[in-house]
Every structure is written in C-alpha cells, then in structure tokens.
Amino acid sequence: MSSIRPASAPSRAGFVQVAACLGFVVVSIDVSVVNVALDTLRDAFHADVTGLQWVVNAYALVFASALLLAGALGDRCGAKRVFAAGYVLFTCASVGCGLAHSLAALIGWRLVQGLGAALLVPNSLSVLREAFHDAGARSRAVGWWAAGGGTALAAGPVIGGLLIAAFGWRSIFLVNVPVGLIGVWMTWRHAPPTRGHAGRSLDPLGQVSGALALASLAFALTQASSLSWQSPLIWGAFALSVVSGAVFVRIEARHPCGMLPLDLFANRTVSGTTLIGLIANLVFYGVVFTFSLLFQSIWHFTPERTGLAFLPMMAVLVVMNIAAGRLVNRIGARRLTLAGLSIAVVGYLSMLPALAAQSYAGLIAPMLLAGGGIALAVPTITNAMLAAVRREQAGIASGLLNAARQVGGVMGVALFGFFVRHPQTALFMHGLAQSLVVSATLLVVAWGVAWCTLDICVRQPVVISTRADRRV
C-alpha cells in the first residue's frame, strides 16, 4: 500500500485521464509546432534546408523507432513507471531544446524529445486502461485522449506562431515544462500501480537493427539535399539501411517472441493499412514542411500568420476524425477509405493553380480537401486493421501502424525538402509543384492498395481504437 492517502476512485481516475491527455497533447503539439519556427531558426542558426529538415525529423525518427520498444518496456516494467519516466525525459529534453545555442544541440535534444514521446504515447493508453475498469467509462476516456491529441495537432501551428511572436522561438519548447511537471505529479500520485511482466522480451537486437535501418534511410534522404544523390556517403547510407532491414527481418523471423511478429503481414488488411498509413503521413507532413517554407521564406509571412495559414488544413482534422468514427460502420472501411483518399487527391492537385497564381485565398479550399481527406482515411484504416487481427495482437498492430506513419512523415519531410532545397523563388516553386504531383500520385497508389486489401465492411468495429489513433 502506498503511504499517500488515496483519493476517491472517480477523483483518481479523473486525474489519470488528465495526465494521459496532457502527455498526448504535448507530444502532438511538438509534431507540428516546430514548422512555424523554421524561418526563425534559419536566421538564428544560419541553417540551410537540410538542417531544418533534421530539426523536424530528429523528433519523428526516434519517436517511430522507439514506439514498439516503449510498449514492451511498459509491459515489462509497469506502464505507470515508464509513463512517468517518459514525462520526465520529455520535459528535460524540452528544457534542453529551449536553451540550445547551436543547431546541433537543438537537433540532439529533439532526438531525446522523440524518445520521451515514444515512452509517453503507448503507456498513456495503458495507464488509462488500468484507471478505468468500466468499458463505457474507458471508451469515453480514450475518446477524450484522442480528441486532445487531435486538437493539439491542429492548434500547434497557431499556438507556436503566437508564442514566437510574443516570446521568441525558445518558448515553443519551454512551454512544455509546466505541463510536464503537472503530468508527472498527477501520474505518480494518482495512477494505479501496474505490474510488470518479467517474461516480456525487449528484443534488443531487433530494436537496434530496426532503428539503424530507419536512421540510415532518414540520413540518406535528408542529406541528399546538400550532398547530392551521387555522393558515396548517400549510397552507403542506403546500403546500410537495406542490410540493417534484412537483418531485422531475419531476427524477427527467428525470434520466438520478437517485437514484430512477421506473420502479421500475411494478413492482407494489415499489410495494406500499414502501407496506406505510411503514404498518408508521407504526403501530409511533407507538404506541411514545404508549405511552412513557402509561407515564411517565399511569401514572408510572420510566424503568427503562418500558424493561422495552416488553420484550414489542421482544424479540419478534428472534425473529419470524428466523422470517420461515426461513418465507418455505415459505409464500410473500403468505401470510406477510398472516399477520403479521392478527396485528398483532388485537394493536392487543386493547390497547383492557386500556387501558380500566388494566391493564399485560392489555397484555402484545397487545404480543407487535402487535410479532410487524409483525416477520413486514417481512423478508418486503423479500425480496419484492429478488426482484422486477434485481440491479443491489437497492441502490436496499433504500434505497427503508428510506427509506419511516423516513418512516412520522416520520409515526406526528407523527400519533399529535397525538392524545395533551392532558395531561388522560381526553383522553389517548381520543387513545390513536384511535391504536390508526387503526393497525388502516391495517394492514387494508396487508393489501389485500399481497393485490393480492405473489405467492404468492417467485420468487428473497434470504435474505441478508431478514436484513439488519430495522429494524422
């Protein structure tokens, strides 16, 4: 028994819900908030496009690489301990980012932030599950958790713009500190204890080889902007990625309790939704990165105006995520996913004439379509994946989809950053147009994958999980 006098059960559960939601909120905000600071960081550190790509990607790369490990750590050591540790690590890293005096230091602390985020997200759901034993109450708690993350992701650019205008770029990181301290206190005092399972394997060799494959791929794609595709270093990084990926597959195939059971991919729905999720985040985060540079470096928007410029594309995420959760049971996973991807294709292609006319007003409707279409598709494929696997595989399946989406975001920022690497306006705009055409093409590929791999109806709808996995 704890020496601290326990609060009433509803009160304790309420505090746990707030702590879990705050954890997801700060993680989600830091996905999008940095984009409105790109021009400010360029001036502060005399950074090029490659350096700015790493500021964004360092966070997402470690986040993606460590998600499965974080879930395993929570199972082995207890979700409460790992969740609290994630809060502490994320908060300390935010202080480091806010006090960084070089671009290298900022990137380094962003890597640590990504690890803290990975520890927070899967274990926030675990502590919620322990705090709410009633299925209905747990469903509502997870719904609020997801709504908080979706709202934070949408509000990130606006909040970031206002903070930068009022207090400078360091404030977008330091604002996490009081939130982190409150979250740690609430978790440690009110979250119920969770037992670890010593038998759960952490699969260290699989984790290292998988992370190395992702890191070398991200390095090759990102550094190509400054070193060119002919560089031996770039080709060496690609080769290392392929070899590490092959080692990872071999380890997971032979490991009896590997972190990623390869038989999951024999399920066509799992394979299809994983690829669709990767493509969705690739095009979304890649275009958000390039538009951040467009608004700030080419159109010379202030940080707060840049944040407001993203509002149509971001705010629609929350609305369409909720709509997707309600429509999937009526329309079916395949039809709703196809509809969302089709809307997104129209949105991305409709941006081309608006950019040719140098008109922000002309971008508003296409941004609503692009963001809304993606937001319809992602919760739907999440629901389809979870409905297609056994209950005991739901956690690893969700982790796989989240990891694939984070990898897609890293690839999008790296690839589209290469297209817009030239500072001259004409070359930049040509590269941005290339990014939009590639986005539409990849979404058409995702459309074909959805047609071939998704069932018309979701056999066993998982409403809670649909709402819970909203990190578009």
Side-chain angles (χ1 to χ4, degrees), residues 116 277 299 312 402 438:
W299 289 358
N402 272 298
V438 170

Side-chain angles (χ1 to χ4, degrees), residues 291-297 299-301 306 309-310 360 363:
F291 271 42
S292 299
L293 295 176
L294 169 71
F295 293 150
Q296 296 169 79
S297 300
W299 289 358
H300 304 293
F301 285 7
T306 299
F310 276 116
Y360 172 74
L363 280 176

Side-chain angles (χ1 to χ4, degrees), residues 123-345:
N123 291 293
S124 64
L125 286 173
S126 296
V127 296
L128 275 182
R129 186 173 64 244
E130 293 296 327
F132 292 89
H133 298 289
D134 176 73
R138 185 167 60 247
S139 176
R140 290 189 293 273
V142 173
W144 280 109
W145 175 89
T151 304
L153 184 67
V158 178
I159 294 172
L162 295 174
L163 285 173
I164 292 167
F167 306 107
W169 68 266
R170 298 180 187 277
S171 62
I172 65 175
F173 299 110
L174 295 177
V175 73
N176 295 331
V177 176
V179 177
L181 294 176
I182 292 170
V184 170
W185 175 79
M186 286 184 174
T187 301
W188 202 251
R189 181 177 176 87
H190 296 288
T194 52
R195 290 185 177 182
H197 303 283
R200 176 64 187 269
S201 172
L202 297 181
D203 191 10
L205 294 179
Q207 183 65 42
V208 170
S209 58
L212 185 59
L214 293 179
S216 52
L217 176 62
F219 176 86
L221 292 172
T222 304
Q223 292 299 129
S225 299
S226 58
L227 298 179
S228 84
W229 290 99
Q230 288 74 37
S231 169
L233 186 60
I234 297 299
W235 282 102
F238 274 125
L240 179 59
S241 178
V242 171
V243 172
S244 300
V247 171
F248 172 78
V249 171
R250 184 175 178 84
I251 289 172
E252 296 309 295
R254 291 171 170 252
H255 200 302
C257 300
M259 66 177 182
L260 182 60
L262 296 183
D263 60 355
L264 273 178
F265 292 101
N267 185 317
R268 66 174 187 171
T269 300
V270 171
S271 300
T273 52
T274 300
L275 181 57
I276 295 167
L278 185 147
I279 291 175
N281 268 38
L282 189 157
V283 301
F284 186 83
Y285 285 115
V287 168
V288 166
F289 178 80
T290 55
F291 271 42
S292 299
L293 295 176
L294 169 71
F295 293 150
Q296 296 169 79
S297 300
I298 305 299
W299 289 358
H300 304 293
F301 285 7
T302 61
E304 61 267 37
R305 189 179 177 190
T306 299
L308 292 172
F310 276 116
L311 197 55
M313 197 171 191
M314 294 294 189
V316 72
L317 299 179
V318 179
V319 176
M320 298 308 284
N321 269 273
I322 295 172
R326 295 179 177 179
L327 291 173
V328 65
N329 296 335
R330 301 178 186 176
I331 299 176
R334 182 199 286 176
R335 292 193 185 99
L336 192 56
T337 302
L338 294 177
L341 294 174
S342 300
I343 293 169
V345 170

Side-chain angles (χ1 to χ4, degrees), residues 23-31 58-68 70-71 82-83 85-91 93-94 109-124 145 176 406 471:
F24 196 26
V25 162
V26 293
V27 168
S28 300
I29 284 180
D30 273 60
V31 170
Y59 179 82
L61 177 63
V62 178
F63 191 9
S65 302
L67 269 173
L68 296 178
V82 178
F83 182 60
Y87 253 130
V88 172
L89 191 62
F90 190 90
T91 304
S94 296
W109 283 113
R110 286 284 284 172
L111 291 168
V112 181
Q113 250 194 338
L115 180 57
L119 295 176
L120 279 171
V121 171
N123 291 293
S124 64
W145 175 89
N176 295 331
Q406 292 302 317
R471 291 201 67 255

Side-chain angles (χ1 to χ4, degrees), residues 2 11 137 195 245:
S2 172
S11 174
R195 290 185 177 182

Side-chain angles (χ1 to χ4, degrees), residues 312 347 350 360-370:
S350 299
Y360 172 74
L363 280 176
I364 294 176
M367 289 173 75
L368 286 169
L369 291 172

